Amino acid sequence: MNKFLTLIRRDLADNRGALIITPVVIAAILLVVTLVASLTGHARFGFDPGDFSSAREARGTSMSAEIEVGGGNATVNRDAKGRVTVVGPNGEARTLDEAINKKTKEGITAVLPIGTAIASSLPLGIALIAILFLQAGALHDERKDRTILFWKSMPVSDLETVGAKLVSIVGIGLFFALMVGIVLHLAITTIAVLTLNQVGITGVTLVPVLANAVKVWIVVTVGLPFYIGWAMPVYGWFSMVSAWAPKMPFIAAFAPLVVVPLVYMAIAYRGNDDDKILDALWDPVGRLIGEPLYDNLGIVSIKNAKDVPEIPVNEILAHLTQSLTQPMFWVGLVASAGFIYAASEIRRRRAL
Amino acid sequence: MTDSLISAKGLAKNYGKKQALKPTNLEIPAGRIVGVIGANGAGKSTLLNCLLGLSNYEGELQVMGMNPLMERAALMEQVCFIADVATLPRWAKVADLLDWVAGLHPKFDQSKAIARIKTTTVKLDSKIKALSKGMIVQVHLAIALAIDARILVLDEPTLGLDIVNRRGFYDAILSDFFDETRTVIITTHQVDEVEPILSHAIFIRDGAVTLDASMEDVAERFLAVDVLDTQKSEAEALKPLYGRSLLGRTTFVFDGVSADTLKTFGEPKRVGLTDLFVALAQ
């Protein structure tokens, strides 16, 4: 076990840039952008250069815009201090806060963490792509730089080596990116709530919003091992190709997953939506994008008895658990074991 | 455990259609310093890779009673291996590398390695890529000598080093590692450099072992004698392995001809490994 932990420490040091530094840097950039956008009055992720210049121009000036609502036109006014008032078609003037009813605010409380979660998922999304490259290079690069001769001079089995690379890159890599994403989510959600309060909206407070954020964290944290389980045959395949490929391991591993179904579609596909062969050929890509987890899920929020949106944690977790009853999950795990064993046997038999 | 430390029967290795190592029989006992000598591309590293279980092979092979290919992890607790200088991970820091080896090798004495490195100009917080070739060899040597192994395998370990570092390298092997219970296997094409320390020589040419003998056997079997041109035909009748004419004399190398017989031509001399290698290559 000590050897395995040492191998993981080594692999994390080897891939520190991609697994540790990249998610942190991406999160830091997002956080800075969010902060700047909030401070300049643009609490949104529109990266057009006009955002900041228009914010500067608008500072200290009052603005007005007409919008079409159900019973005619309403006018939205913003004073020089940034406070917003809405004048309805009937001429009644209300603050922005008064224009939003309590149920809508409860809805914002429930849905806001979902919106900020989408922005905060970028480190994890990048990590999902990065680990494919790392996994493809894991057993190839040690041959390319000849360090395999040093590592194979240590009393460590090939299976332990392959397993440690998989655990460190896929397991720890993804969970670290998730943790970074959660910290970022906490920060962005907090900024979003403070920004809402700043423009005068009351009733959307930090504690209930973060309580809903925790629900998002639970769903994603529990969902990640399910995702890894479903995608494991693809990672195992990448390990095997990495051990075998003489060069360009990423292309050698990834191209068949895409090229084979595309060739099949070009040759044999006749528009049949229930084509089992095509489904099977796209299966690895589907696993990689988490399709088995969100397939048939359909919703990430439902309305409760008071007609207020909420995150259905129990339903989502039940759906994830249900996915384990599908035979294809277990078929995939068996295939992964085969690929990983093949990777270790290929590594065993070659020096360079 | 077999009597021989290394025992090979019909050991061979093919890369596709190319036979990198032709079927070879070897018996290497403990307590030897074995030189595996051959030109570049002759098959020396291929032989070592097979002995260490680093690549697959054909034939039967036992190293310390183990099958290297299937039991490499267990074997490497007893064997220490230094390939040429470029195999340490360039991205790693020296201190981290020592930590990892300590975690991976139960017979590694980290404090001993650190003590040796502190006698050099290498800093523990340096990255390998920042070190010169000579410094990298010092780090690798410090790791190797801090492992309590029974066999030390060196594959062209001094390639690219200057003469001072080369001498220091072999001195360290002799003083800090070798004893009668341990075996050192060195591949090199720089024969003169290792000849004084060898107790056993294996010559490889085009994937075939052309000599596998102890230095005592080499001294007994092979003799050289300088022959005057007037006696040349007489000497050639004894079927020398090799002859080299220079300044009116021809030096012949003989295999298995007694010293008494050769004394009729001149004083028989011991044959250096360089000359013997050339002779056997003819």
Side-chain angles (χ1 to χ4, degrees):
Chain A
M1 196 60 195
N2 185 35
K3 282 186 188 178
F4 198 73
L5 291 177
T6 303
L7 289 173
I8 287 174
R9 280 171 48 216
R10 178 201 68 177
D11 290 332
L12 287 177
D14 187 9
N15 300 307
R16 185 185 289 126
L19 294 180
I20 310 294
I21 296 173
T22 301
V24 171
V25 168
I26 291 170
I29 291 170
L30 278 175
L31 193 56
V32 169
V33 168
T34 308
L35 265 174
V36 170
S38 296
L39 293 173
T40 56
H42 287 79
R44 59 193 171 99
F45 294 103
F47 285 105
D48 51 298
D51 272 9
F52 296 105
S53 58
S54 62
R56 263 198 311 276
E57 287 162 13
R59 197 173 297 141
T61 61
S62 58
M63 295 179 73
S64 173
E66 283 198 354
I67 54 171
E68 208 174 294
V69 294
N73 284 351
T75 306
V76 180
N77 299 308
R78 199 188 80 162
D79 66 17
K81 290 184 178 175
R83 285 189 295 260
V84 177
T85 55
V86 181
V87 181
N90 55 2
E92 184 191 354
R94 291 182 295 174
T95 62
L96 183 61
D97 188 46
E98 289 165 345
I100 302 172
N101 64 31
K102 190 182 172 205
K103 200 169 86 178
T104 304
K105 287 177 181 175
E106 287 176 354
I108 291 173
T109 301
V111 174
L112 180 68
I114 297 174
T116 50
I118 292 167
S120 308
S121 65
L122 192 61
L124 184 59
I126 298 286
L128 284 168
I129 297 167
I131 62 168
L132 288 179
F133 284 93
L134 294 180
Q135 203 49 37
L139 299 170
H140 175 266
D141 293 351
E142 63 173 8
R143 298 199 307 279
K144 194 175 161 191
D145 63 14
R146 298 170 55 82
T147 54
I148 188 172
L149 292 175
F150 176 72
W151 298 120
K152 283 183 90 168
S153 74
M154 295 290 118
V156 179
S157 75
D158 299 281
L159 194 57
E160 278 178 297
T161 301
V162 173
K165 286 184 185 296
L166 205 58
V167 169
S168 58
I169 294 173
V170 177
I172 297 177
L174 285 184
F175 269 99
F176 181 76
L178 174 67
M179 290 305 121
V180 171
I182 287 176
V183 172
L184 178 65
H185 187 220
L186 175 65
I188 289 183
T189 307
T190 304
I191 291 169
V193 172
L194 294 177
T195 304
L196 288 177
N197 294 344
Q198 181 64 29
V199 297
I201 296 174
T202 60
V204 180
T205 53
L206 198 54
V207 172
V209 171
L210 290 183
N212 282 321
V214 170
K215 291 181 182 175
V216 176
W217 302 343
I218 290 170
V219 167
V220 182
T221 307
V222 174
L224 191 57
F226 285 85
Y227 168 80
I228 292 173
W230 274 100
M232 190 52 82
V234 183
Y235 297 132
W237 162 257
F238 269 65
S239 290
M240 190 185 77
V241 175
S242 180
W244 160 80
K247 52 185 166 184
M248 293 190 289
F250 180 80
I251 292 174
F254 192 70
L257 305 186
V258 180
V259 172
V260 172
L262 287 178
V263 168
Y264 173 81
M265 286 174 77
I267 294 172
Y269 183 58
R270 296 290 176 267
N272 177 11
D273 287 341
D274 198 27
D275 189 327
K276 300 288 183 207
I277 296 173
L278 187 61
D279 288 348
L281 293 177
W282 278 121
D283 179 69
V285 174
R287 288 170 182 262
L288 213 48
I289 60 174
E291 193 179 20
L293 300 182
Y294 62 73
D295 204 19
N296 299 324
L297 178 61
I299 44 167
V300 289
S301 73
I302 58 170
K303 294 199 172 173
N304 64 14
K306 294 181 190 170
D307 204 26
V308 172
E310 67 175 23
I311 300 165
V313 176
N314 291 337
E315 285 80 352
I316 294 173
L317 295 184
H319 180 81
L320 292 175
T321 311
Q322 181 70 20
S323 76
L324 299 186
T325 62
Q326 296 180 38
M328 285 308 288
F329 176 83
W330 301 102
V331 170
L333 284 188
V334 172
S336 331
F339 288 139
I340 292 164
Y341 180 72
S344 74
E345 286 299 303
I346 292 169
R347 186 181 188 270
R348 181 203 295 279
R349 285 168 167 74
R350 59 193 304 183
L352 290 171
Chain B
M1 181 84 67
T2 58
D3 293 338
S4 296
L5 209 60
I6 297 171
S7 170
K9 286 178 189 164
L11 180 65
K13 170 74 182 174
N14 296 311
Y15 291 110
K17 287 182 181 172
K18 189 191 170 198
Q19 195 164 34
L21 184 64
K22 292 170 183 165
T24 300
N25 297 330
L26 285 176
E27 296 291 336
I28 299 176
R32 299 294 179 99
I33 299 180
V34 182
V36 181
I37 295 159
N40 289 332
K44 307 185 298 291
S45 295
T46 302
L47 174 63
L48 283 201
N49 287 343
C50 295
L51 296 181
L52 295 166
L54 299 180
S55 67
N56 61 342
Y57 51 79
E58 291 162 26
E60 289 176 34
L61 177 61
Q62 295 271 301
V63 178
M64 298 190 74
M66 286 181 256
N67 176 331
L69 187 64
M70 302 312 292
E71 299 170 90
R72 181 182 56 77
L75 179 64
M76 286 301 172
E77 291 195 4
Q78 307 293 335
V79 178
C80 190
F81 172 48
I82 299 183
D84 60 49
V85 296
T87 61
L88 293 184
R90 292 174 57 76
W91 47 266
K93 282 185 180 176
V94 174
D96 290 340
L97 197 58
L98 298 182
D99 278 347
W100 299 329
V101 176
L104 297 175
H105 208 304
K107 294 189 173 175
F108 176 66
D109 183 343
Q110 191 172 7
S111 57
K112 193 174 168 185
I114 291 173
R116 175 173 278 278
I117 287 173
K118 283 185 174 171
T119 64
T120 71
T121 53
V122 177
K123 299 273 182 280
L124 286 171
D125 61 352
S126 298
K127 284 203 170 182
I128 300 292
K129 65 183 171 192
L131 303 180
S132 67
K133 271 186 179 178
M135 292 161 117
I136 293 174
V137 170
Q138 296 281 11
V139 173
H140 210 155
L141 188 62
I143 292 172
L145 295 182
I147 292 173
D148 181 21
R150 310 318 299 164
I151 304 176
L152 176 61
V153 179
L154 309 166
D155 186 8
E156 301 276 10
T158 57
L159 208 62
L161 294 188
D162 60 52
I163 195 161
V164 175
N165 275 313
R166 292 211 300 259
R167 180 68 61 83
F169 181 89
Y170 288 116
D171 286 351
I173 300 290
L174 286 178
S175 60
D176 292 354
F177 179 82
F178 185 66
D179 61 35
E180 69 277 4
T181 65
R182 301 183 190 204
T183 292
V184 180
I185 302 173
I186 307 167
T187 73
T188 184
H189 61 275
Q190 293 165 322
V191 184
D192 296 339
E193 186 174 281
V194 295
E195 184 171 357
I197 64 171
L198 294 186
S199 51
H200 197 100
I202 295 171
F203 287 177
I204 294 190
R205 183 167 177 258
D206 295 333
V209 171
T210 55
L211 177 77
D212 173 14
S214 69
M215 293 304 283
E216 293 88 351
D217 288 345
V218 168
E220 276 181 24
R221 265 179 66 186
F222 300 98
L223 290 170
V225 65
D226 292 336
V227 178
L228 294 170
D229 283 350
T230 52
Q231 293 178 296
K232 200 171 166 184
S233 55
E234 246 179 285
E236 282 172 342
L238 294 173
K239 296 184 179 171
L241 286 173
Y242 171 69
R244 186 186 185 204
S245 294
L246 207 66
L247 302 173
R249 282 173 173 267
T250 301
T251 304
F252 285 110
V253 174
F254 294 92
D255 179 5
V257 179
S258 72
D260 290 342
T261 307
L262 296 178
K263 276 180 181 169
T264 57
F265 305 111
E267 190 58 36
K269 299 179 292 190
R270 181 182 166 276
V271 184
L273 284 182
T274 305
D275 291 333
L276 185 57
F277 185 78
V278 173
L280 290 173
Q282 303 304 307

